[in-house]
Amino acid sequence: MQWFNVGTIVNTHGIRGEVRVISRTHFPEERYTVGNKLALFMPDSKTPIYLTVASHRQHKNFDLLTFENHPNLNDVEKYRNGIFMIPENQLGDLDENEFYYHEIVDCTVFTTEGIELGKVTEILETGANDVWTVTPEKGKPHYIPYIEDIVKEVDIASKKIIIDPMEGLLS
């Protein structure tokens, strides 16, 4: 089974068993719903610990969670650096022209003229739009903004992306 990262416990919060999570999901309301079971993978472990969400709230840039049967700080301190993962069948459907990161990373990028630029190696979240790092076999990486004017076609099945680079984008 393939698992996908949806958040990392980075610290505890207060003394009542709350943890701070840096979320990697665009669906925190769905993932962190009270009663939802989450699979937590600790570093160097391939076996998940299943935790049931007792409460969820947002505070600054964090999602704060508590879990059933974990009423205080001592119960959750051991989960620090644990990563919440979901199986592929829980990913959910996205709107048209939206993709999961794992679908985009490793796609080969070509210009509309058929010139191969490299593979997407990283996705940067900039706020306004994502920026894809496209790394060629030799040379410096290119930074391609995921906007309609540039990204013309994304074919997940064949791992191929076609872009129409504006002047100066690839220099």
Side-chain angles (χ1 to χ4, degrees), residues 31 44 47-48 51 76 81 95 99 120 129 146 165:
R31 302 281 177 241
D44 304 324
T47 307
L51 300 169
V76 297
N81 299 320
D95 293 334
F99 305 96
V120 178
N129 53 268
Y146 179 53

Side-chain angles (χ1 to χ4, degrees), residues 1-168:
M1 181 184 317
Q2 192 169 7
W3 293 87
F4 296 94
N5 181 345
V6 294
T8 303
I9 295 177
V10 293
N11 211 340
T12 56
H13 185 84
I15 60 170
R16 297 202 171 133
E18 229 171 6
V19 294
R20 287 185 186 183
V21 175
I22 292 181
S23 195
R24 303 271 305 151
T25 179
H26 289 286
F27 311 106
E29 317 77 34
E30 183 181 318
R31 302 281 177 241
Y32 308 137
T33 300
V34 172
N36 195 25
K37 280 194 191 285
L38 297 173
L40 182 71
F41 287 82
M42 295 307 296
D44 304 324
S45 175
K46 292 185 181 346
T47 307
I49 300 165
Y50 289 96
L51 300 169
T52 303
V53 177
S55 72
H56 169 242
R57 65 187 178 107
Q58 292 189 301
H59 176 69
K60 298 184 180 175
N61 294 331
F62 300 102
D63 284 282
L64 301 180
L65 303 174
T66 60
F67 309 108
E68 289 180 5
N69 303 316
H70 292 76
N72 67 53
L73 169 70
N74 296 329
D75 297 324
V76 297
E77 208 164 28
K78 61 189 172 202
Y79 298 139
R80 188 176 302 163
N81 299 320
I83 299 173
F84 289 119
M85 307 278 260
I86 60 166
E88 190 169 15
N89 64 356
Q90 289 182 10
L91 284 177
D93 296 326
L94 298 176
D95 293 334
E96 188 177 340
N97 295 324
E98 289 185 338
F99 305 96
Y100 285 107
Y101 288 0
H102 72 274
E103 294 175 314
I104 298 299
V105 171
D106 288 332
C107 284
T108 304
V109 179
F110 297 88
T111 66
T112 50
E113 289 82 35
I115 300 168
E116 183 176 329
L117 299 176
K119 290 187 182 247
V120 178
T121 54
E122 184 180 13
I123 297 175
L124 309 170
E125 294 181 33
T126 63
N129 53 268
D130 288 346
V131 174
W132 297 345
T133 304
V134 177
T135 306
E137 285 189 32
K138 293 179 182 172
K140 294 181 182 177
H142 305 288
Y143 297 96
I144 309 298
Y146 179 53
I147 56 175
E148 197 175 305
D149 289 347
I150 296 193
V151 179
K152 297 302 180 186
E153 183 183 332
V154 177
D155 184 347
I156 296 301
S158 61
K159 301 294 276 179
K160 183 177 178 182
I161 297 171
I162 308 289
I163 68 163
D164 185 10
M166 63 176 59
E167 191 174 322

